[in-house]
Each structure stands twice: as C-alpha cells, then as structure tokens.
Amino acid sequence: MTNFYHLLNWTLKRGPHPCPGPDGGTCINEAAIVACGFPYQPVPAHTDMPSCFSRPICRLALFLNDEASGIERQRLIPFVTRLACADTPEIEEKRAAYIRARLDLDARHVPHVPMSVGIRILEGALAIGRQADPLAAEDVADRMRAARAGTAPQAPKPRSLPTKLKVWLGALKPESVLLQAARLPARMTAVEHPRRGWLFPQRERQTTEANLH
C-alpha cells in the first residue's frame, strides 16, 4: 500500500453505513463515492452506485469487502479510485463473465475466497475496457478528509422559551412559526430513510399547525 493510501486515513468496514466516521469506517464502494467527488450515500447494494461505476466490478468489490477480515479488508483501499470505470453494456458483460468464470456470485453458497485470490480477480476485471479517470491525490485526500470531518451531527440550538409560548406572548407571529416548521430538520419523531436521508413526518407538521389554532 502506497503512502498516499495510508494518508487517506480511511478504514474499510463491513456493511452499509449511514455516514462516515472519524476514521472513515465505510465499505469500499461508499469510500469510492467520496473519493470520486460525489456526496456521500450509503450503499446497501452495488446497484445503488452512481452510473459511472461499473456494476460487475462494484459487486465483486462489495463481496470482497464484506467477506474479508478487518485487516485483510484494508488491502482494498488502493481500489477506491478505480471503480468509476463504467463502460458499454458489451464491456460490462465481458467483465461480469470474467468474474463469473472465476467466482460465481449468483451461486446459492458462494465459497470463501482468500483476499489475494479476490484481488487477482478484481485486477483482471479492471483490465477489461475503460479505466477510471485518474484523480489527483490531493483532491482525493481533501474529499476524504472533508467527509470524515462532516459526520458529527449538529446539536439543536437551545431555546429559551417554547415556540408556542412565544406566540402567546407576541414574540413570534403564527405565520412565522408555520414557516419555521416547514424548514425545520427532523426532530423527535423523524425517521431516516436509507436512500433519501432524514424525513420530516407529515403527521408532525400537521400537529404543529393544529397547535396554532
């Protein structure tokens, strides 16, 4: 592993993750999304990757990521900048056929593959067709650093008085409260959608409006 990938300070882990942690802490496909400049998103399956990423290659990478032990998984780090290599349907099928001939990911019971063997298959599939556009090391490092730094959720600002009480005292107009309710991020009853982020429940918004009448 080169010094560049060591400086990324990104640890690969098994499974999808809602957001990166201080050490990265995502799967290889999620790390690749950040490295290539896309907004972070969880990747439950290879089909959730942006269209510029090769589906057969990302599927193999995700399999190797989730099957490996913690230490062995880190050997995939050099591939985070190489997965955005989607090609024509013919080339993608050639890649899929190459992988399938060596490791059938559609089998009912896929055997364990040593990481050294998996990397050879990954390298062979990557050699077929278009290569990913080269990325500047500084740009990749900056993106990974920004993703790690932006993971801590911001705590809501303390309120001196409840909103409803402020309305009664005349400090806020009811229409301004409705506008705030439409813009507020999700709070107590919010839910997190795996692909769409935080959602503000309609029932909560209706309750806010009802309290003003």
Side-chain angles (χ1 to χ4, degrees):
M1 189 178 298
T2 65
N3 289 335
F4 165 62
Y5 293 107
H6 175 71
L7 290 174
L8 291 183
N9 191 26
W10 197 278
T11 301
L12 297 180
K13 294 184 179 180
R14 178 184 290 111
H17 306 82
C19 62
D23 63 346
T26 70
C27 74
I28 180 174
N29 287 352
E30 292 163 342
I33 285 177
V34 174
C36 292
F38 290 93
Y40 181 82
Q41 67 179 64
V43 181
H46 66 284
T47 51
D48 296 314
M49 296 292 285
S51 60
C52 63
F53 287 82
S54 169
R55 294 294 187 269
I57 288 175
C58 286
R59 185 185 186 190
L60 173 60
L62 193 59
F63 171 80
L64 297 176
N65 179 95
D66 288 352
E67 287 294 307
S69 64
I71 296 177
E72 286 288 286
R73 187 178 297 115
Q74 309 318 310
R75 295 175 61 185
L76 295 171
I77 282 286
F79 294 94
V80 299
T81 59
R82 300 180 61 187
L83 306 184
C85 59
D87 210 316
T88 64
E90 292 76 17
I91 293 297
E92 293 296 282
E93 178 53 38
K94 287 183 179 179
R95 289 168 170 169
Y98 176 90
I99 295 169
R100 189 165 51 247
R102 292 156 180 81
L103 178 62
D104 187 2
L105 297 177
D106 292 317
R108 185 170 183 178
H109 300 290
V110 182
H112 173 73
V113 176
M115 181 57 72
S116 57
V117 175
I119 286 179
R120 283 201 299 270
I121 299 173
L122 185 57
E123 288 277 14
L126 284 166
I128 300 171
R130 186 181 74 85
Q131 304 299 295
D133 296 333
L135 301 174
E138 297 81 4
D139 292 341
V140 175
D142 287 345
R143 292 164 184 166
M144 307 296 258
R145 188 180 305 111
R148 292 195 310 271
T151 58
Q154 294 182 352
K157 295 181 180 180
R159 296 171 182 260
S160 55
L161 289 174
T163 300
K164 190 172 183 179
L165 181 57
K166 286 185 178 181
V167 173
W168 289 342
L169 296 176
L172 286 177
K173 295 181 179 180
E175 56 268 23
S176 66
V177 178
L178 288 176
L179 181 60
Q180 291 178 18
R183 293 177 177 174
L184 279 176
R187 296 185 296 172
M188 296 293 291
T189 59
V191 295
E192 187 179 8
H193 191 283
R195 298 184 186 177
R196 295 170 57 194
W198 288 99
L199 302 179
F200 190 85
Q202 187 66 24
R203 180 175 60 82
E204 181 76 6
R205 190 170 299 169
Q206 291 171 350
T207 302
T208 304
E209 296 173 358
N211 288 338
L212 297 176
H213 297 291

